Amino acid sequence: MNELARRYAEALYQISPNEEALTSTAQALMGDAPLWESLCSPAVQAWEKERVLARLPQLDGRGLLLHFYCLLAQKGRMALLPDILDAFHDKALAQRGAARCRLTCVRVPGQAELEKLKKALCRLHYKQDIVFDIRTDPSLLGGFTLEIEGVTYDKSVRGALAGLTRQLEERRMA
């Protein structure tokens, strides 16, 4: 994740920790392809973007968020909004004693497996809750990888094979 996006999210969270408002307005902006394209385009002047933002019904009565989006438009950083949204969500989770975990696996695990994994990760990372972001990747061949709070756990067949390959190459070089 972009460090600049993390700083914007931190500043916004300190001013207004309303995750629901940010999520709904950001999704409204990003969900309208022509609008989103024009807001991110360097060909459109910042003042034009601000005028469009000021007229959007989704931002009516949301002065702080309107000012935030206008700031992003002025600085030419509207394209950072998806990363800002992720960083804001992570900050909100951390305030609740939770963390997001990206789980990449060949097949989606069952609820019982996820609960066991959640309990283990809560103990290991001293968290009250874990929110999973599950992705599938057949190239893992089996097993899974976890990314949580900057730590990666690779328990995949692909990772094990890569480790064996490294060991064999090291022995051959010695």
Side-chain angles (χ1 to χ4, degrees), residues 53-92:
L53 288 167
R55 292 182 179 176
L56 291 174
Q58 298 91 334
L59 295 175
D60 191 32
R62 302 201 187 257
L64 186 70
L65 285 174
L66 174 60
H67 290 298
F68 177 72
Y69 293 134
C70 286
L71 175 69
L72 292 178
Q74 288 169 0
K75 300 287 185 183
R77 296 183 174 147
M78 190 60 82
L80 288 176
L81 188 56
D83 289 340
I84 293 170
L85 198 57
D86 283 344
F88 193 95
H89 182 64
D90 288 347
K91 178 73 177 165

PDB file of all heavy atoms in Angstrom, residues 53-92:
ATOM      1  N   LEU A  53     -17.645  17.798  -7.982  1.00  0.00           N
ATOM      2  CA  LEU A  53     -17.796  17.216  -6.643  1.00  0.00           C
ATOM      3  C   LEU A  53     -18.840  17.979  -5.823  1.00  0.00           C
ATOM      4  O   LEU A  53     -19.638  17.369  -5.110  1.00  0.00           O
ATOM      5  CB  LEU A  53     -16.445  17.205  -5.912  1.00  0.00           C
ATOM      6  CG  LEU A  53     -15.421  16.192  -6.416  1.00  0.00           C
ATOM      7  CD1 LEU A  53     -14.040  16.496  -5.843  1.00  0.00           C
ATOM      8  CD2 LEU A  53     -15.849  14.772  -6.087  1.00  0.00           C
ATOM      9  N   ALA A  54     -18.826  19.296  -5.917  1.00  0.00           N
ATOM     10  CA  ALA A  54     -19.757  20.118  -5.138  1.00  0.00           C
ATOM     11  C   ALA A  54     -21.213  19.881  -5.547  1.00  0.00           C
ATOM     12  O   ALA A  54     -22.123  20.095  -4.744  1.00  0.00           O
ATOM     13  CB  ALA A  54     -19.412  21.588  -5.306  1.00  0.00           C
ATOM     14  N   ARG A  55     -21.442  19.421  -6.768  1.00  0.00           N
ATOM     15  CA  ARG A  55     -22.814  19.206  -7.252  1.00  0.00           C
ATOM     16  C   ARG A  55     -23.304  17.773  -7.068  1.00  0.00           C
ATOM     17  O   ARG A  55     -24.461  17.491  -7.376  1.00  0.00           O
ATOM     18  CB  ARG A  55     -22.891  19.562  -8.735  1.00  0.00           C
ATOM     19  CG  ARG A  55     -22.704  21.029  -8.967  1.00  0.00           C
ATOM     20  CD  ARG A  55     -22.838  21.355 -10.408  1.00  0.00           C
ATOM     21  NE  ARG A  55     -22.679  22.791 -10.598  1.00  0.00           N
ATOM     22  CZ  ARG A  55     -22.661  23.373 -11.761  1.00  0.00           C
ATOM     23  NH1 ARG A  55     -22.801  22.669 -12.852  1.00  0.00           N
ATOM     24  NH2 ARG A  55     -22.500  24.675 -11.846  1.00  0.00           N
ATOM     25  N   LEU A  56     -22.471  16.894  -6.589  1.00  0.00           N
ATOM     26  CA  LEU A  56     -22.886  15.498  -6.437  1.00  0.00           C
ATOM     27  C   LEU A  56     -23.832  15.327  -5.252  1.00  0.00           C
ATOM     28  O   LEU A  56     -23.527  15.768  -4.139  1.00  0.00           O
ATOM     29  CB  LEU A  56     -21.669  14.588  -6.242  1.00  0.00           C
ATOM     30  CG  LEU A  56     -20.763  14.416  -7.453  1.00  0.00           C
ATOM     31  CD1 LEU A  56     -19.528  13.603  -7.075  1.00  0.00           C
ATOM     32  CD2 LEU A  56     -21.502  13.745  -8.589  1.00  0.00           C
ATOM     33  N   PRO A  57     -24.969  14.677  -5.463  1.00  0.00           N
ATOM     34  CA  PRO A  57     -25.921  14.491  -4.359  1.00  0.00           C
ATOM     35  C   PRO A  57     -25.365  13.597  -3.240  1.00  0.00           C
ATOM     36  O   PRO A  57     -25.751  13.745  -2.087  1.00  0.00           O
ATOM     37  CB  PRO A  57     -27.137  13.851  -5.023  1.00  0.00           C
ATOM     38  CG  PRO A  57     -26.664  13.335  -6.334  1.00  0.00           C
ATOM     39  CD  PRO A  57     -25.465  14.134  -6.725  1.00  0.00           C
ATOM     40  N   GLN A  58     -24.433  12.698  -3.575  1.00  0.00           N
ATOM     41  CA  GLN A  58     -23.858  11.814  -2.553  1.00  0.00           C
ATOM     42  C   GLN A  58     -23.034  12.591  -1.526  1.00  0.00           C
ATOM     43  O   GLN A  58     -22.831  12.130  -0.413  1.00  0.00           O
ATOM     44  CB  GLN A  58     -22.939  10.748  -3.195  1.00  0.00           C
ATOM     45  CG  GLN A  58     -23.630   9.829  -4.149  1.00  0.00           C
ATOM     46  CD  GLN A  58     -23.579  10.342  -5.588  1.00  0.00           C
ATOM     47  OE1 GLN A  58     -23.472  11.523  -5.851  1.00  0.00           O
ATOM     48  NE2 GLN A  58     -23.689   9.418  -6.530  1.00  0.00           N
ATOM     49  N   LEU A  59     -22.532  13.766  -1.921  1.00  0.00           N
ATOM     50  CA  LEU A  59     -21.702  14.568  -1.024  1.00  0.00           C
ATOM     51  C   LEU A  59     -22.469  15.717  -0.379  1.00  0.00           C
ATOM     52  O   LEU A  59     -21.891  16.500   0.377  1.00  0.00           O
ATOM     53  CB  LEU A  59     -20.484  15.109  -1.787  1.00  0.00           C
ATOM     54  CG  LEU A  59     -19.508  14.046  -2.283  1.00  0.00           C
ATOM     55  CD1 LEU A  59     -18.408  14.676  -3.113  1.00  0.00           C
ATOM     56  CD2 LEU A  59     -18.921  13.270  -1.122  1.00  0.00           C
ATOM     57  N   ASP A  60     -23.759  15.805  -0.667  1.00  0.00           N
ATOM     58  CA  ASP A  60     -24.582  16.861  -0.088  1.00  0.00           C
ATOM     59  C   ASP A  60     -24.671  16.652   1.428  1.00  0.00           C
ATOM     60  O   ASP A  60     -25.040  15.579   1.912  1.00  0.00           O
ATOM     61  CB  ASP A  60     -25.985  16.832  -0.715  1.00  0.00           C
ATOM     62  CG  ASP A  60     -26.787  18.058  -0.359  1.00  0.00           C
ATOM     63  OD1 ASP A  60     -26.172  19.135  -0.184  1.00  0.00           O
ATOM     64  OD2 ASP A  60     -28.024  17.933  -0.247  1.00  0.00           O
ATOM     65  N   GLY A  61     -24.303  17.652   2.177  1.00  0.00           N
ATOM     66  CA  GLY A  61     -24.346  17.567   3.633  1.00  0.00           C
ATOM     67  C   GLY A  61     -23.131  16.885   4.236  1.00  0.00           C
ATOM     68  O   GLY A  61     -23.083  16.641   5.429  1.00  0.00           O
ATOM     69  N   ARG A  62     -22.161  16.568   3.432  1.00  0.00           N
ATOM     70  CA  ARG A  62     -20.937  15.914   3.907  1.00  0.00           C
ATOM     71  C   ARG A  62     -19.749  16.844   3.640  1.00  0.00           C
ATOM     72  O   ARG A  62     -18.859  16.523   2.859  1.00  0.00           O
ATOM     73  CB  ARG A  62     -20.735  14.577   3.226  1.00  0.00           C
ATOM     74  CG  ARG A  62     -21.900  13.618   3.439  1.00  0.00           C
ATOM     75  CD  ARG A  62     -21.466  12.206   3.197  1.00  0.00           C
ATOM     76  NE  ARG A  62     -22.582  11.289   3.223  1.00  0.00           N
ATOM     77  CZ  ARG A  62     -22.853  10.506   4.246  1.00  0.00           C
ATOM     78  NH1 ARG A  62     -22.116  10.547   5.320  1.00  0.00           N
ATOM     79  NH2 ARG A  62     -23.868   9.678   4.189  1.00  0.00           N
ATOM     80  N   GLY A  63     -19.782  17.994   4.289  1.00  0.00           N
ATOM     81  CA  GLY A  63     -18.788  19.037   4.047  1.00  0.00           C
ATOM     82  C   GLY A  63     -17.355  18.591   4.203  1.00  0.00           C
ATOM     83  O   GLY A  63     -16.500  18.919   3.385  1.00  0.00           O
ATOM     84  N   LEU A  64     -17.072  17.841   5.264  1.00  0.00           N
ATOM     85  CA  LEU A  64     -15.705  17.410   5.507  1.00  0.00           C
ATOM     86  C   LEU A  64     -15.211  16.488   4.396  1.00  0.00           C
ATOM     87  O   LEU A  64     -14.091  16.666   3.891  1.00  0.00           O
ATOM     88  CB  LEU A  64     -15.613  16.693   6.861  1.00  0.00           C
ATOM     89  CG  LEU A  64     -14.204  16.326   7.281  1.00  0.00           C
ATOM     90  CD1 LEU A  64     -13.417  17.590   7.622  1.00  0.00           C
ATOM     91  CD2 LEU A  64     -14.233  15.395   8.461  1.00  0.00           C
ATOM     92  N   LEU A  65     -16.044  15.544   4.003  1.00  0.00           N
ATOM     93  CA  LEU A  65     -15.639  14.645   2.925  1.00  0.00           C
ATOM     94  C   LEU A  65     -15.536  15.380   1.596  1.00  0.00           C
ATOM     95  O   LEU A  65     -14.643  15.096   0.798  1.00  0.00           O
ATOM     96  CB  LEU A  65     -16.607  13.466   2.807  1.00  0.00           C
ATOM     97  CG  LEU A  65     -16.450  12.403   3.886  1.00  0.00           C
ATOM     98  CD1 LEU A  65     -17.550  11.352   3.770  1.00  0.00           C
ATOM     99  CD2 LEU A  65     -15.086  11.740   3.806  1.00  0.00           C
ATOM    100  N   LEU A  66     -16.418  16.323   1.362  1.00  0.00           N
ATOM    101  CA  LEU A  66     -16.338  17.129   0.145  1.00  0.00           C
ATOM    102  C   LEU A  66     -15.010  17.868   0.094  1.00  0.00           C
ATOM    103  O   LEU A  66     -14.324  17.864  -0.933  1.00  0.00           O
ATOM    104  CB  LEU A  66     -17.503  18.118   0.076  1.00  0.00           C
ATOM    105  CG  LEU A  66     -17.464  19.112  -1.082  1.00  0.00           C
ATOM    106  CD1 LEU A  66     -17.468  18.393  -2.421  1.00  0.00           C
ATOM    107  CD2 LEU A  66     -18.631  20.083  -0.976  1.00  0.00           C
ATOM    108  N   HIS A  67     -14.607  18.472   1.205  1.00  0.00           N
ATOM    109  CA  HIS A  67     -13.320  19.176   1.268  1.00  0.00           C
ATOM    110  C   HIS A  67     -12.155  18.206   1.060  1.00  0.00           C
ATOM    111  O   HIS A  67     -11.175  18.543   0.394  1.00  0.00           O
ATOM    112  CB  HIS A  67     -13.159  19.926   2.586  1.00  0.00           C
ATOM    113  CG  HIS A  67     -14.056  21.114   2.707  1.00  0.00           C
ATOM    114  ND1 HIS A  67     -13.993  22.187   1.848  1.00  0.00           N
ATOM    115  CD2 HIS A  67     -15.049  21.385   3.582  1.00  0.00           C
ATOM    116  CE1 HIS A  67     -14.912  23.079   2.187  1.00  0.00           C
ATOM    117  NE2 HIS A  67     -15.571  22.612   3.236  1.00  0.00           N
ATOM    118  N   PHE A  68     -12.271  17.006   1.614  1.00  0.00           N
ATOM    119  CA  PHE A  68     -11.230  15.998   1.452  1.00  0.00           C
ATOM    120  C   PHE A  68     -11.084  15.608  -0.016  1.00  0.00           C
ATOM    121  O   PHE A  68      -9.977  15.570  -0.551  1.00  0.00           O
ATOM    122  CB  PHE A  68     -11.544  14.771   2.314  1.00  0.00           C
ATOM    123  CG  PHE A  68     -10.553  13.660   2.156  1.00  0.00           C
ATOM    124  CD1 PHE A  68      -9.270  13.777   2.677  1.00  0.00           C
ATOM    125  CD2 PHE A  68     -10.890  12.504   1.477  1.00  0.00           C
ATOM    126  CE1 PHE A  68      -8.346  12.752   2.520  1.00  0.00           C
ATOM    127  CE2 PHE A  68      -9.979  11.480   1.329  1.00  0.00           C
ATOM    128  CZ  PHE A  68      -8.703  11.599   1.850  1.00  0.00           C
ATOM    129  N   TYR A  69     -12.217  15.344  -0.675  1.00  0.00           N
ATOM    130  CA  TYR A  69     -12.166  14.972  -2.092  1.00  0.00           C
ATOM    131  C   TYR A  69     -11.663  16.132  -2.944  1.00  0.00           C
ATOM    132  O   TYR A  69     -10.930  15.919  -3.916  1.00  0.00           O
ATOM    133  CB  TYR A  69     -13.536  14.499  -2.574  1.00  0.00           C
ATOM    134  CG  TYR A  69     -13.981  13.197  -1.951  1.00  0.00           C
ATOM    135  CD1 TYR A  69     -15.269  13.046  -1.452  1.00  0.00           C
ATOM    136  CD2 TYR A  69     -13.121  12.116  -1.849  1.00  0.00           C
ATOM    137  CE1 TYR A  69     -15.683  11.856  -0.883  1.00  0.00           C
ATOM    138  CE2 TYR A  69     -13.518  10.922  -1.275  1.00  0.00           C
ATOM    139  CZ  TYR A  69     -14.801  10.796  -0.796  1.00  0.00           C
ATOM    140  OH  TYR A  69     -15.203   9.622  -0.231  1.00  0.00           O
ATOM    141  N   CYS A  70     -12.027  17.350  -2.599  1.00  0.00           N
ATOM    142  CA  CYS A  70     -11.527  18.515  -3.334  1.00  0.00           C
ATOM    143  C   CYS A  70     -10.015  18.653  -3.159  1.00  0.00           C
ATOM    144  O   CYS A  70      -9.305  19.007  -4.110  1.00  0.00           O
ATOM    145  CB  CYS A  70     -12.234  19.779  -2.871  1.00  0.00           C
ATOM    146  SG  CYS A  70     -13.937  19.913  -3.465  1.00  0.00           S
ATOM    147  N   LEU A  71      -9.518  18.374  -1.957  1.00  0.00           N
ATOM    148  CA  LEU A  71      -8.072  18.405  -1.721  1.00  0.00           C
ATOM    149  C   LEU A  71      -7.368  17.381  -2.608  1.00  0.00           C
ATOM    150  O   LEU A  71      -6.344  17.681  -3.232  1.00  0.00           O
ATOM    151  CB  LEU A  71      -7.764  18.141  -0.249  1.00  0.00           C
ATOM    152  CG  LEU A  71      -6.282  18.019   0.105  1.00  0.00           C
ATOM    153  CD1 LEU A  71      -5.588  19.371  -0.044  1.00  0.00           C
ATOM    154  CD2 LEU A  71      -6.113  17.480   1.512  1.00  0.00           C
ATOM    155  N   LEU A  72      -7.911  16.168  -2.670  1.00  0.00           N
ATOM    156  CA  LEU A  72      -7.322  15.146  -3.539  1.00  0.00           C
ATOM    157  C   LEU A  72      -7.339  15.605  -4.998  1.00  0.00           C
ATOM    158  O   LEU A  72      -6.361  15.390  -5.734  1.00  0.00           O
ATOM    159  CB  LEU A  72      -8.079  13.818  -3.410  1.00  0.00           C
ATOM    160  CG  LEU A  72      -7.957  13.072  -2.083  1.00  0.00           C
ATOM    161  CD1 LEU A  72      -8.797  11.799  -2.113  1.00  0.00           C
ATOM    162  CD2 LEU A  72      -6.511  12.740  -1.766  1.00  0.00           C
ATOM    163  N   ALA A  73      -8.417  16.250  -5.412  1.00  0.00           N
ATOM    164  CA  ALA A  73      -8.519  16.741  -6.795  1.00  0.00           C
ATOM    165  C   ALA A  73      -7.492  17.845  -7.052  1.00  0.00           C
ATOM    166  O   ALA A  73      -6.833  17.845  -8.098  1.00  0.00           O
ATOM    167  CB  ALA A  73      -9.934  17.249  -7.060  1.00  0.00           C
ATOM    168  N   GLN A  74      -7.337  18.767  -6.099  1.00  0.00           N
ATOM    169  CA  GLN A  74      -6.367  19.864  -6.256  1.00  0.00           C
ATOM    170  C   GLN A  74      -4.942  19.336  -6.384  1.00  0.00           C
ATOM    171  O   GLN A  74      -4.155  19.849  -7.168  1.00  0.00           O
ATOM    172  CB  GLN A  74      -6.425  20.814  -5.058  1.00  0.00           C
ATOM    173  CG  GLN A  74      -7.645  21.667  -4.991  1.00  0.00           C
ATOM    174  CD  GLN A  74      -7.749  22.376  -3.640  1.00  0.00           C
ATOM    175  OE1 GLN A  74      -6.902  22.230  -2.760  1.00  0.00           O
ATOM    176  NE2 GLN A  74      -8.813  23.163  -3.483  1.00  0.00           N
ATOM    177  N   LYS A  75      -4.630  18.325  -5.593  1.00  0.00           N
ATOM    178  CA  LYS A  75      -3.276  17.775  -5.578  1.00  0.00           C
ATOM    179  C   LYS A  75      -3.042  16.744  -6.686  1.00  0.00           C
ATOM    180  O   LYS A  75      -1.942  16.231  -6.823  1.00  0.00           O
ATOM    181  CB  LYS A  75      -2.987  17.112  -4.221  1.00  0.00           C
ATOM    182  CG  LYS A  75      -3.092  18.039  -3.046  1.00  0.00           C
ATOM    183  CD  LYS A  75      -1.933  18.990  -3.005  1.00  0.00           C
ATOM    184  CE  LYS A  75      -1.980  19.831  -1.742  1.00  0.00           C
ATOM    185  NZ  LYS A  75      -0.929  20.802  -1.681  1.00  0.00           N
ATOM    186  N   GLY A  76      -4.099  16.417  -7.438  1.00  0.00           N
ATOM    187  CA  GLY A  76      -3.961  15.414  -8.498  1.00  0.00           C
ATOM    188  C   GLY A  76      -3.762  14.014  -7.945  1.00  0.00           C
ATOM    189  O   GLY A  76      -3.080  13.183  -8.552  1.00  0.00           O
ATOM    190  N   ARG A  77      -4.387  13.740  -6.796  1.00  0.00           N
ATOM    191  CA  ARG A  77      -4.179  12.452  -6.119  1.00  0.00           C
ATOM    192  C   ARG A  77      -5.477  11.665  -5.939  1.00  0.00           C
ATOM    193  O   ARG A  77      -5.558  10.807  -5.070  1.00  0.00           O
ATOM    194  CB  ARG A  77      -3.524  12.692  -4.768  1.00  0.00           C
ATOM    195  CG  ARG A  77      -2.141  13.278  -4.935  1.00  0.00           C
ATOM    196  CD  ARG A  77      -1.445  13.465  -3.633  1.00  0.00           C
ATOM    197  NE  ARG A  77      -0.080  13.903  -3.880  1.00  0.00           N
ATOM    198  CZ  ARG A  77       0.589  14.711  -3.091  1.00  0.00           C
ATOM    199  NH1 ARG A  77       0.035  15.168  -1.991  1.00  0.00           N
ATOM    200  NH2 ARG A  77       1.818  15.059  -3.389  1.00  0.00           N
ATOM    201  N   MET A  78      -6.453  11.943  -6.760  1.00  0.00           N
ATOM    202  CA  MET A  78      -7.732  11.250  -6.644  1.00  0.00           C
ATOM    203  C   MET A  78      -7.569   9.744  -6.881  1.00  0.00           C
ATOM    204  O   MET A  78      -8.275   8.939  -6.283  1.00  0.00           O
ATOM    205  CB  MET A  78      -8.741  11.836  -7.630  1.00  0.00           C
ATOM    206  CG  MET A  78     -10.143  11.356  -7.421  1.00  0.00           C
ATOM    207  SD  MET A  78     -10.855  11.735  -5.802  1.00  0.00           S
ATOM    208  CE  MET A  78     -11.387  13.398  -6.034  1.00  0.00           C
ATOM    209  N   ALA A  79      -6.607   9.356  -7.709  1.00  0.00           N
ATOM    210  CA  ALA A  79      -6.388   7.937  -7.997  1.00  0.00           C
ATOM    211  C   ALA A  79      -5.933   7.159  -6.758  1.00  0.00           C
ATOM    212  O   ALA A  79      -5.987   5.925  -6.743  1.00  0.00           O
ATOM    213  CB  ALA A  79      -5.368   7.774  -9.120  1.00  0.00           C
ATOM    214  N   LEU A  80      -5.521   7.869  -5.718  1.00  0.00           N
ATOM    215  CA  LEU A  80      -5.118   7.209  -4.464  1.00  0.00           C
ATOM    216  C   LEU A  80      -6.311   6.770  -3.623  1.00  0.00           C
ATOM    217  O   LEU A  80      -6.132   6.073  -2.620  1.00  0.00           O
ATOM    218  CB  LEU A  80      -4.258   8.146  -3.611  1.00  0.00           C
ATOM    219  CG  LEU A  80      -2.843   8.442  -4.066  1.00  0.00           C
ATOM    220  CD1 LEU A  80      -2.203   9.461  -3.141  1.00  0.00           C
ATOM    221  CD2 LEU A  80      -2.028   7.173  -4.104  1.00  0.00           C
ATOM    222  N   LEU A  81      -7.510   7.176  -3.996  1.00  0.00           N
ATOM    223  CA  LEU A  81      -8.684   6.917  -3.161  1.00  0.00           C
ATOM    224  C   LEU A  81      -8.884   5.446  -2.803  1.00  0.00           C
ATOM    225  O   LEU A  81      -9.164   5.144  -1.636  1.00  0.00           O
ATOM    226  CB  LEU A  81      -9.942   7.503  -3.805  1.00  0.00           C
ATOM    227  CG  LEU A  81     -11.205   7.467  -2.943  1.00  0.00           C
ATOM    228  CD1 LEU A  81     -10.990   8.165  -1.606  1.00  0.00           C
ATOM    229  CD2 LEU A  81     -12.367   8.102  -3.688  1.00  0.00           C
ATOM    230  N   PRO A  82      -8.728   4.488  -3.726  1.00  0.00           N
ATOM    231  CA  PRO A  82      -8.879   3.083  -3.303  1.00  0.00           C
ATOM    232  C   PRO A  82      -7.882   2.678  -2.215  1.00  0.00           C
ATOM    233  O   PRO A  82      -8.252   1.988  -1.254  1.00  0.00           O
ATOM    234  CB  PRO A  82      -8.637   2.289  -4.596  1.00  0.00           C
ATOM    235  CG  PRO A  82      -8.951   3.245  -5.699  1.00  0.00           C
ATOM    236  CD  PRO A  82      -8.559   4.597  -5.180  1.00  0.00           C
ATOM    237  N   ASP A  83      -6.631   3.134  -2.333  1.00  0.00           N
ATOM    238  CA  ASP A  83      -5.633   2.824  -1.304  1.00  0.00           C
ATOM    239  C   ASP A  83      -5.939   3.553   0.007  1.00  0.00           C
ATOM    240  O   ASP A  83      -5.724   3.012   1.089  1.00  0.00           O
ATOM    241  CB  ASP A  83      -4.230   3.196  -1.787  1.00  0.00           C
ATOM    242  CG  ASP A  83      -3.712   2.269  -2.867  1.00  0.00           C
ATOM    243  OD1 ASP A  83      -4.233   1.142  -2.988  1.00  0.00           O
ATOM    244  OD2 ASP A  83      -2.788   2.675  -3.597  1.00  0.00           O
ATOM    245  N   ILE A  84      -6.438   4.781  -0.087  1.00  0.00           N
ATOM    246  CA  ILE A  84      -6.817   5.528   1.108  1.00  0.00           C
ATOM    247  C   ILE A  84      -7.955   4.812   1.826  1.00  0.00           C
ATOM    248  O   ILE A  84      -7.951   4.679   3.049  1.00  0.00           O
ATOM    249  CB  ILE A  84      -7.218   6.979   0.742  1.00  0.00           C
ATOM    250  CG1 ILE A  84      -6.005   7.755   0.243  1.00  0.00           C
ATOM    251  CG2 ILE A  84      -7.869   7.679   1.932  1.00  0.00           C
ATOM    252  CD1 ILE A  84      -6.328   9.104  -0.372  1.00  0.00           C
ATOM    253  N   LEU A  85      -8.897   4.317   1.055  1.00  0.00           N
ATOM    254  CA  LEU A  85     -10.032   3.582   1.620  1.00  0.00           C
ATOM    255  C   LEU A  85      -9.553   2.333   2.361  1.00  0.00           C
ATOM    256  O   LEU A  85     -10.001   2.058   3.482  1.00  0.00           O
ATOM    257  CB  LEU A  85     -10.995   3.209   0.495  1.00  0.00           C
ATOM    258  CG  LEU A  85     -12.408   2.818   0.834  1.00  0.00           C
ATOM    259  CD1 LEU A  85     -13.117   3.905   1.609  1.00  0.00           C
ATOM    260  CD2 LEU A  85     -13.170   2.502  -0.436  1.00  0.00           C
ATOM    261  N   ASP A  86      -8.625   1.590   1.766  1.00  0.00           N
ATOM    262  CA  ASP A  86      -8.065   0.401   2.420  1.00  0.00           C
ATOM    263  C   ASP A  86      -7.324   0.767   3.703  1.00  0.00           C
ATOM    264  O   ASP A  86      -7.478   0.106   4.733  1.00  0.00           O
ATOM    265  CB  ASP A  86      -7.112  -0.342   1.483  1.00  0.00           C
ATOM    266  CG  ASP A  86      -7.823  -1.156   0.435  1.00  0.00           C
ATOM    267  OD1 ASP A  86      -9.040  -1.406   0.583  1.00  0.00           O
ATOM    268  OD2 ASP A  86      -7.166  -1.556  -0.546  1.00  0.00           O
ATOM    269  N   ALA A  87      -6.502   1.814   3.640  1.00  0.00           N
ATOM    270  CA  ALA A  87      -5.741   2.233   4.818  1.00  0.00           C
ATOM    271  C   ALA A  87      -6.668   2.729   5.925  1.00  0.00           C
ATOM    272  O   ALA A  87      -6.440   2.466   7.111  1.00  0.00           O
ATOM    273  CB  ALA A  87      -4.739   3.320   4.438  1.00  0.00           C
ATOM    274  N   PHE A  88      -7.726   3.440   5.556  1.00  0.00           N
ATOM    275  CA  PHE A  88      -8.706   3.921   6.526  1.00  0.00           C
ATOM    276  C   PHE A  88      -9.391   2.736   7.201  1.00  0.00           C
ATOM    277  O   PHE A  88      -9.570   2.720   8.427  1.00  0.00           O
ATOM    278  CB  PHE A  88      -9.732   4.811   5.816  1.00  0.00           C
ATOM    279  CG  PHE A  88     -10.603   5.608   6.743  1.00  0.00           C
ATOM    280  CD1 PHE A  88     -10.271   6.908   7.070  1.00  0.00           C
ATOM    281  CD2 PHE A  88     -11.762   5.073   7.281  1.00  0.00           C
ATOM    282  CE1 PHE A  88     -11.068   7.665   7.920  1.00  0.00           C
ATOM    283  CE2 PHE A  88     -12.566   5.813   8.129  1.00  0.00           C
ATOM    284  CZ  PHE A  88     -12.221   7.109   8.450  1.00  0.00           C
ATOM    285  N   HIS A  89      -9.754   1.742   6.402  1.00  0.00           N
ATOM    286  CA  HIS A  89     -10.391   0.540   6.934  1.00  0.00           C
ATOM    287  C   HIS A  89      -9.455  -0.176   7.909  1.00  0.00           C
ATOM    288  O   HIS A  89      -9.874  -0.610   8.982  1.00  0.00           O
ATOM    289  CB  HIS A  89     -10.804  -0.379   5.791  1.00  0.00           C
ATOM    290  CG  HIS A  89     -11.503  -1.625   6.227  1.00  0.00           C
ATOM    291  ND1 HIS A  89     -12.722  -1.613   6.863  1.00  0.00           N
ATOM    292  CD2 HIS A  89     -11.138  -2.925   6.133  1.00  0.00           C
ATOM    293  CE1 HIS A  89     -13.081  -2.851   7.138  1.00  0.00           C
ATOM    294  NE2 HIS A  89     -12.135  -3.665   6.706  1.00  0.00           N
ATOM    295  N   ASP A  90      -8.180  -0.277   7.557  1.00  0.00           N
ATOM    296  CA  ASP A  90      -7.194  -0.911   8.439  1.00  0.00           C
ATOM    297  C   ASP A  90      -7.068  -0.143   9.753  1.00  0.00           C
ATOM    298  O   ASP A  90      -6.960  -0.739  10.829  1.00  0.00           O
ATOM    299  CB  ASP A  90      -5.830  -0.997   7.761  1.00  0.00           C
ATOM    300  CG  ASP A  90      -5.792  -2.031   6.646  1.00  0.00           C
ATOM    301  OD1 ASP A  90      -6.726  -2.862   6.549  1.00  0.00           O
ATOM    302  OD2 ASP A  90      -4.833  -1.997   5.847  1.00  0.00           O
ATOM    303  N   LYS A  91      -7.084   1.179   9.673  1.00  0.00           N
ATOM    304  CA  LYS A  91      -6.993   2.013  10.874  1.00  0.00           C
ATOM    305  C   LYS A  91      -8.217   1.795  11.773  1.00  0.00           C
ATOM    306  O   LYS A  91      -8.092   1.664  12.993  1.00  0.00           O
ATOM    307  CB  LYS A  91      -6.880   3.492  10.464  1.00  0.00           C
ATOM    308  CG  LYS A  91      -6.823   4.453  11.598  1.00  0.00           C
ATOM    309  CD  LYS A  91      -5.501   4.401  12.293  1.00  0.00           C
ATOM    310  CE  LYS A  91      -5.453   5.451  13.391  1.00  0.00           C
ATOM    311  NZ  LYS A  91      -4.368   5.230  14.302  1.00  0.00           N
ATOM    312  N   ALA A  92      -9.389   1.742  11.152  1.00  0.00           N
ATOM    313  CA  ALA A  92     -10.616   1.510  11.918  1.00  0.00           C
ATOM    314  C   ALA A  92     -10.586   0.125  12.576  1.00  0.00           C
ATOM    315  O   ALA A  92     -11.006  -0.033  13.728  1.00  0.00           O
ATOM    316  CB  ALA A  92     -11.837   1.647  11.018  1.00  0.00           C
TER     317      ALA A  92
END
